[in-house]
Amino acid sequence: MSQFTFKMPDLGEGTVDAEIVAWHTKPGDLVVEDQLIVEVMTDKAAVEVPAPVSGRVVSVTGAPGDKVAVGSPLIVFELSDGAAVPAAAPAPPKAVSAAAPMVAQTVAPPAPAVAQPVARPAAQPAASPAAAKGRVMTSPANRRLAREAGIDLATVAGSGPGGRILRADLQTGAPRETPADAADTTEIKVIGLRRLIAERMSEAKRTIPHFAYVEEVDVTELESLREHLNHSRPKDAGSLSYLPLVVMALTRVLESFPQCNVLYDAARGVLVRHRAMHVGIATQTSDGLKVPVVRDAQSLALWEMAAEIRRLAERARSNKATREELVGSTITVTSLGKLGGIASTPIINAPEVAIIGLNKAVERPVVAQGAVVVRRIMNLSSSFDHRFVDGYDAAAMIQALKERLEHPATIFIPTVKSS
């Protein structure tokens, strides 16, 4: 028998490490060449890594949530006598999807993290040899981790040389003294897509000076148009929501406000203004928030727009969206539909400079020409990067969008450019 150590492969695009998302094998398992063994995530993509050889798994490196450097040992195989050992690097792993810039542009998600109940163990395992001698062998970092987690190192059986306690020993159910109500709590490790969302949301909020602008829009006429179009919609077309109408109106408005259809390249200190309008549609899925992109939205007719938004949302929710469908937006629209509330303050999808949020449409009493009437009102909640979009320009853009939505026939009229 011989052993083969498979190292974390180079996943491209300058990747230096990858996060373990889910192991699909464990020590002792027999695997065959090209069988999926592990899912990992880089800052660019979720990647499925296949086995480079057939054999028995001896050991694996890292638990879900751990990062492994490119070129470091990932998994060790025991090969049968005469089995061939790869002479060169195996074919690049398959990227199942790519991470896109945030509010929520992210990757096609890996398997969700498993919630592990925290409960008082029934029996304590034998202490490590080091602990039995009155001393515990482990690193300062592990001591700090144990202290923060409330773990008594003297009760942990170390799996390292001479009973040394490794980080993995602290992450795989090491015994600890817990509060009396610990059985009523659940710990969920933040990994994969949720970790990526958290990091990018935090980065966007920390680095971008957001300012919010909320405007009330009377969508009574828009609702009448929507109902009319739904009654006469093309065969096989889905029901029309406000979203395609708002996106179409936005593309008309951006023709007059190109400074809101830009990306900020922080590394070069350059604003990249786009002529095409690639509109990101923030989409809630069971695995987190994703932002599939309607490319060249300005060139789509209404039913084409509706069909494309529906197609992309379905692909995002079923984890079938490709990298090209999840990256490259120049401005984002987000909507919680009937859960939209009165107002919100959406986080900008960096490196964009603007995001438009749709709140729920409800009937309210309003004063019109001296009389109280019932109208359908919807608030638009927008956020802008104050470094590059002045308050006046942001307000002017939202007012122009409001005008189009309140007079929906103008949604279908391109902006007339002055000579």
Side-chain angles (χ1 to χ4, degrees), residues 364-373 375:
R364 299 179 191 165
V366 299
V367 177
Q369 298 179 346
V372 177
V373 296
R375 305 290 289 181

Side-chain angles (χ1 to χ4, degrees), residues 382-401:
S382 55
S383 295
F384 297 88
D385 187 333
H386 215 335
R387 295 173 297 179
F388 312 115
V389 182
D390 295 332
Y392 179 88
D393 291 332
M397 190 196 86
I398 297 301
Q399 290 299 324
L401 181 58

Side-chain angles (χ1 to χ4, degrees), residues 13 32 47 51-52 62 75 106 140 204 225 230 235 268 349 352 378 380 392 418:
E13 299 191 38
V32 297
V47 182
I75 184 170
T106 54
L225 175 62
N230 277 331
K235 184 179 180 181
R268 296 190 298 145
N349 188 5
E352 300 165 21
M378 178 180 71
L380 292 178
Y392 179 88
S418 57

Side-chain angles (χ1 to χ4, degrees), residues 65-101:
D66 291 344
K67 290 189 176 182
V68 179
V70 170
S72 296
L74 181 63
I75 184 170
V76 177
F77 297 97
E78 184 178 74
L79 309 179
S80 60
D81 292 335
V85 176
K94 176 185 177 183
V96 295
S97 180

Side-chain angles (χ1 to χ4, degrees), residues 152-417:
D152 182 358
L153 290 173
T155 66
V156 179
S159 61
R164 185 178 183 84
I165 296 174
L166 307 179
R167 182 178 180 184
D169 298 326
L170 302 177
Q171 295 177 328
T172 55
R176 71 185 75 179
E177 289 299 319
T178 58
D181 62 350
D184 297 326
T185 66
T186 301
E187 290 185 355
I188 302 174
K189 194 169 185 178
V190 180
I191 65 172
L193 178 62
R194 182 54 58 187
R195 175 191 61 79
L196 192 60
I197 290 175
E199 289 178 354
R200 294 194 171 181
M201 287 281 191
S202 298
E203 179 69 13
K205 195 65 176 178
R206 181 171 60 252
T207 61
I208 298 175
H210 287 63
F211 78 92
Y213 184 85
V214 180
E215 179 56 278
E216 190 176 75
V217 180
D218 185 336
V219 293
T220 306
E221 300 303 324
L222 188 69
E223 173 65 12
S224 296
L225 175 62
R226 188 185 73 86
E227 290 183 347
H228 172 74
L229 292 173
N230 277 331
H231 287 145
S232 59
R233 64 177 181 261
K235 184 179 180 181
D236 299 329
S239 179
L240 190 68
S241 67
Y242 286 130
L243 191 55
L245 291 159
V246 172
V247 172
M248 193 167 186
L250 178 62
T251 63
R252 300 290 189 243
V253 169
L254 286 176
E255 294 176 18
S256 299
F257 297 89
Q259 67 270 36
C260 295
N261 192 50
V262 305
L263 302 179
Y264 176 52
D265 187 335
R268 296 190 298 145
V270 172
L271 284 172
V272 182
R273 181 174 292 182
H274 290 257
R275 181 174 302 167
M277 299 165 197
H278 306 314
V279 181
I281 306 297
T283 303
Q284 185 65 39
T285 75
S286 60
D287 299 293
L289 197 58
K290 306 174 190 177
V291 184
V293 182
V294 178
R295 298 195 178 279
D296 294 300
Q298 77 285 352
S299 65
L300 299 180
L302 180 61
W303 290 109
E304 293 175 323
M305 181 83 73
E308 181 66 356
I309 291 174
R310 188 177 302 107
R311 183 188 73 84
L312 289 168
E314 289 173 355
R315 287 181 63 81
R317 294 187 180 109
S318 63
N319 300 336
K320 296 179 180 179
T322 64
R323 183 180 192 278
E324 290 70 24
E325 291 170 332
L326 290 171
V327 299
S329 58
T330 56
I331 191 170
T332 293
V333 175
T334 181
S335 171
L336 290 177
K338 294 180 180 179
L339 300 177
I342 298 174
S344 57
T345 54
I347 298 176
I348 294 171
N349 188 5
E352 300 165 21
V353 301
I355 181 171
I356 312 298
L358 278 61
N359 298 109
K360 65 181 178 181
V362 296
E363 290 189 341
R364 299 179 191 165
V366 299
V367 177
Q369 298 179 346
V372 177
V373 296
V374 176
R375 305 290 289 181
R376 180 171 286 269
I377 304 297
M378 178 180 71
N379 288 348
L380 292 178
S381 297
S382 55
S383 295
F384 297 88
D385 187 333
H386 215 335
R387 295 173 297 179
F388 312 115
V389 182
D390 295 332
Y392 179 88
D393 291 332
M397 190 196 86
I398 297 301
Q399 290 299 324
L401 181 58
K402 168 187 169 81
E403 183 175 357
R404 294 264 182 171
L405 296 176
E406 291 188 338
H407 302 87
T410 62
I411 293 174
F412 305 94
I413 302 173
T415 300
V416 178
K417 298 181 179 178

Side-chain angles (χ1 to χ4, degrees), residues 111-153:
V114 178
Q116 300 179 342
V118 178
R120 185 185 302 275
Q124 303 287 357
S128 67
K133 298 177 182 178
R135 60 190 178 89
V136 174
M137 293 190 297
T138 190
S139 68
N142 286 341
R143 292 181 189 277
R144 183 174 64 252
L145 179 63
R147 184 171 60 252
E148 293 173 350
I151 299 173
D152 182 358
L153 290 173

